[in-house]
Amino acid sequence: MKLKGIFTIILSIILCTACSTNDEEPVVDVVIDNGDGDTDTGGSDDQGDSSNSLATIVKLNAFTNLPLKSIHFADENTGFIAASKNDETTTISEIYKTTDGGITWNKVFSDNFYIENIKVLTPNLIAAVALTGEILISKDAGTSWEVHTIFTNRGVVLKDVTYDKHDEIYVIGYHEATKKGVVYLTWNEGELWNEYTGNDEFKEMMQNNMLSSVDYIKETGYMIIGGGLNNKGILVTQFESKFEILETNQPIRYLDVAAKSGTVMAVGNNGIVNSASELGGIYGVYSQHNWTTFDYNDNNRLTAVALGTGTSGNIIAVGRNKSNNLTNGEFITLSKDNGNNWERINHQFPTAAWNDIHALNEDTFIVIGNNGLLILLTVK
């Protein structure tokens, strides 16, 4: 059965209008960064389908009560989710795998640290990174996992991972105390890790640069790393082993980047939870156009972005509502023309705390968030 055919059998269920407390911290002027600028509390009991002029949204079956942190697929059917929680009493992560496009999920790993990101590097090679320095590698499509602890408890926050055409795994993050960015890489699927130190120019790029996200365009050999500080966005690009810095002048840190062909989108926020001061932003490049700031008609804090596959111009960014806003579904915005025009997608999940999004094809996306919430979003 084709993927879209599977989704059509999911029927509408009752829309719950009960509201709970917001998933954000109490309203404050400055939020202490815990590695991703957000906190995981609250949740939503809303269920069902919602449709509007922009998209159809279907809530998929929950398989854990943990916040869903990161999602990535090898193809339209096979993918992985990292679910993670870190509070005063519990630190735990779980990894789940699907082989039917997100309809059902099976647990394949769990441990007592906080997984920040998971990526499918090849159909068999899966990698994940944890905030306290652990690197997880599966070489058999998630059946078994190796936990590398060479960077554990060394004051390094690991944020994201990618894979290049030379079969090198790159892990990026930053030193928690100094906010200096770090890049680690391996040539042998995790058996030996090295820190990329580069020349003086590269070392200068890493100063006050909390590297937080990375993506790689296999077709062109182009890598994009997002980071900066909460008041200064920085992108670092790499091509043919040469790193260059791109200071964007946006007062945000880039928490996620997505890239394909000649299109790059970087999104983030300033880490403030206060309706008067909080801010998000989008920066990127489309085809041969110059890098630019994209106006998405709002200033909501953004956490993740995904590009529709193929030649699609669909781009979806997700994030947070304004502080204590329980009247609207948590923030999702859509562009159908590669970022030139944006429109908010309305839905019924006001405390979703969206953490990540992945494009299954040109029109279909999976969005994940708080308390095991995941939705299937199909652009009309």
Side-chain angles (χ1 to χ4, degrees), residues 31 43 75 87 89 101 122 133 142 164 200 213 218 220 244 255 283 328 331 340 380:
V31 175
D75 51 45
D87 59 25
T89 61
T122 71
D164 73 4
D200 290 342
S213 52
K218 295 180 181 178
T220 59
E244 294 183 340
L255 299 180
Y283 192 84
N328 298 317
F331 193 74
N340 292 310
K380 294 183 177 179

Side-chain angles (χ1 to χ4, degrees), residues 64-252:
T64 179
N65 290 325
L66 296 180
L68 303 182
K69 181 61 182 174
S70 178
I71 183 171
H72 201 248
F73 275 69
D75 51 45
E76 286 192 53
N77 293 310
T78 302
F80 293 82
I81 277 180
S84 301
K85 182 178 182 180
N86 184 21
D87 59 25
E88 295 179 354
T89 61
T90 305
T91 300
I92 187 172
S93 289
E94 300 170 344
I95 295 176
Y96 291 83
K97 180 180 180 179
T98 182
T99 56
D100 57 11
I103 305 303
T104 59
W105 297 82
N106 296 307
K107 187 191 297 186
V108 294
F109 179 85
S110 65
D111 211 325
N112 295 321
F113 46 74
Y114 188 100
I115 295 176
E116 175 73 4
N117 241 312
I118 190 166
K119 289 283 182 66
V120 180
L121 306 180
T122 71
N124 286 319
L125 185 62
I126 320 300
V129 295
L131 292 182
T132 45
E134 293 81 5
I135 302 174
L136 289 76
I137 302 288
S138 174
K139 300 176 184 178
D140 52 14
T143 301
S144 62
W145 296 83
E146 304 168 0
V147 180
H148 299 261
T149 58
I150 184 173
F151 305 116
T152 300
N153 296 325
R154 291 179 53 182
V156 175
V157 176
L158 299 185
K159 294 289 292 181
D160 205 354
V161 57
T162 194
Y163 195 56
D164 73 4
K165 64 181 180 181
H166 304 296
D167 295 335
E168 298 169 340
I169 301 176
Y170 283 76
V171 169
I172 60 95
Y174 56 88
H175 288 283
E176 191 169 19
T178 64
K179 313 305 181 189
K180 175 187 174 184
V182 292
V183 177
Y184 300 116
L185 66 159
T186 180
W187 295 269
N188 48 20
E189 297 184 347
E191 299 302 322
L192 179 66
W193 289 92
N194 294 283
E195 180 175 2
Y196 184 90
T197 55
N199 55 21
D200 290 342
E201 183 181 8
F202 177 81
K203 293 175 183 177
E204 182 65 25
M205 293 179 196
M206 295 298 102
Q207 298 300 318
N208 295 315
N209 191 357
M210 301 164 68
L211 302 184
S212 302
S213 52
V214 62
D215 205 354
Y216 180 78
I217 306 175
K218 295 180 181 178
E219 296 82 358
T220 59
Y222 190 65
M223 185 180 297
I224 308 95
I225 306 173
L229 301 178
N230 285 345
N231 62 355
K232 183 182 180 180
I234 296 175
L235 293 177
V236 175
T237 63
Q238 185 230 55
F239 181 70
E240 299 295 342
S241 301
K242 179 177 175 56
F243 287 88
E244 294 183 340
I245 194 168
L246 185 63
E247 297 189 18
T248 68
N249 296 319
Q250 281 195 308
I252 63 171

